[in-house]
Amino acid sequence: MSPSCSKAFVLLVFAIGVCATAFDGFAEEPTTESTSDLVLVSDVEWTPLNPARGDASPQAATLWGDRAGTEATGFLVKFVDGFSSPPHIHNITYRGVVIAGGVHNDDPDAEPMWMHVGAFWTQPAGEPHITAARGTTIAYIEIDKGPYLVMPTEEAFDNGERPVNVDASNIVWLGQSSTSWIEPPAPSATANPSKIAFLWGNPQSDPVNGTLVKLPVGFVGKIRSQGSEFRAVVIEGQANYRSNGIDNIKVMPPGSYFSSKGEMTHRVSCDDDTHCMIYVRSEGQFVVVPD
């Protein structure tokens, strides 16, 4: 395990310790002031991530926010097989989750560490690095403040942060018995096999946090958000989705996005042949509830 991966594992274990017993008690129904939004990956608009590189640039598609503006933003990035960037820095820190293919993101002299579906990494502002892709690759990228800029290494700086690279095999998953974020099933069932992994933030002290939610094969139920803002991106599997204001069931392949403001019940199911994995950025808490 690389040093950055080891640090990430420690961070995840710490997050579990502070989060596993947080937030009991959730409202059964959303308020009338709630609003929701949905973006299918088939409907996104792809543009160059770094316009200065023209056709050599990866492609990007904004799911929410504005990466050219100053606000927090989430977007998809698509790399061709064999892509490798020159060494560069960014003006801001970003987080990433691999959706397809393989990503290597590290110091320019580091040995390749290929991260696959469900892997999580962070890239600190100002730190020189390269990004490479193996296979047709898509990742979800998130920033807390824009704009997102690509800059030369001559402008490198140290903001005190260090990179985190967590392979999917090192994600620490919590089940129903370990966290109140997963609600028990009806009395007739034995357990709720859904799982959650705390990636960043501390829900007890930080207003925003990031998690992965894994729903089992054939899952039927809901994700009930009680925070002020809830943003979710399908990472793996195919989620079937419905909520207040969206009456028809929407089939959401990886890269699709749904969100809400205020309390909201998001009804989600997974197909009978695969599980679903969803990345959630939440201001406040949520709970996974099986039917």
Side-chain angles (χ1 to χ4, degrees), residues 150-198:
V150 181
M151 303 164 60
T153 56
E154 289 77 14
E155 299 184 43
F157 59 91
D158 186 350
N159 73 347
E161 297 179 82
R162 294 297 175 260
V164 171
N165 292 284
V166 187
D167 186 75
S169 63
N170 286 331
I171 297 291
V172 179
W173 294 98
L174 299 179
Q176 174 199 320
S177 63
S178 302
T179 175
S180 59
W181 292 50
I182 300 175
E183 190 168 293
S188 58
T190 57
N192 178 1
S194 302
K195 297 179 180 180
I196 189 169
F198 295 96

Side-chain angles (χ1 to χ4, degrees), residues 121-287:
W121 84 97
T122 66
Q123 179 58 50
E127 180 175 279
H129 64 286
I130 66 167
T131 303
R134 184 165 64 180
T136 301
T137 299
I138 298 177
Y140 171 70
I141 304 297
E142 186 176 270
I143 58 177
D144 290 332
K145 183 179 180 180
Y148 173 93
L149 302 176
V150 181
M151 303 164 60
T153 56
E154 289 77 14
E155 299 184 43
F157 59 91
D158 186 350
N159 73 347
E161 297 179 82
R162 294 297 175 260
V164 171
N165 292 284
V166 187
D167 186 75
S169 63
N170 286 331
I171 297 291
V172 179
W173 294 98
L174 299 179
Q176 174 199 320
S177 63
S178 302
T179 175
S180 59
W181 292 50
I182 300 175
E183 190 168 293
S188 58
T190 57
N192 178 1
S194 302
K195 297 179 180 180
I196 189 169
F198 295 96
L199 298 180
W200 60 271
N202 181 349
Q204 294 177 313
S205 59
D206 300 332
V208 186
N209 57 86
T211 60
L212 284 174
V213 176
K214 185 182 289 187
L215 304 176
V217 172
F219 175 86
V220 178
K222 47 186 131 351
I223 302 175
R224 186 180 297 132
S225 171
Q226 200 178 36
S228 59
E229 190 170 75
F230 176 94
R231 301 183 184 278
V233 179
V234 179
I235 301 299
E236 186 177 24
Q238 181 170 279
N240 305 301
Y241 177 82
R242 182 168 56 86
S243 71
N244 290 358
I246 302 176
D247 295 329
N248 297 327
I249 294 176
K250 302 292 185 180
V251 177
M252 304 187 70
S256 299
Y257 161 80
F258 60 94
S259 69
S260 62
K261 292 185 177 181
E263 296 178 13
M264 176 67 69
T265 296
H266 302 273
R267 299 201 62 84
V268 181
S269 65
C270 302
D271 290 344
D272 291 336
D273 58 354
T274 184
H275 67 265
C276 302
M277 187 188 301
I278 299 172
Y279 170 80
V280 177
R281 173 193 173 102
S282 177
E283 294 188 22
Q285 66 267 27
F286 63 88
V287 65

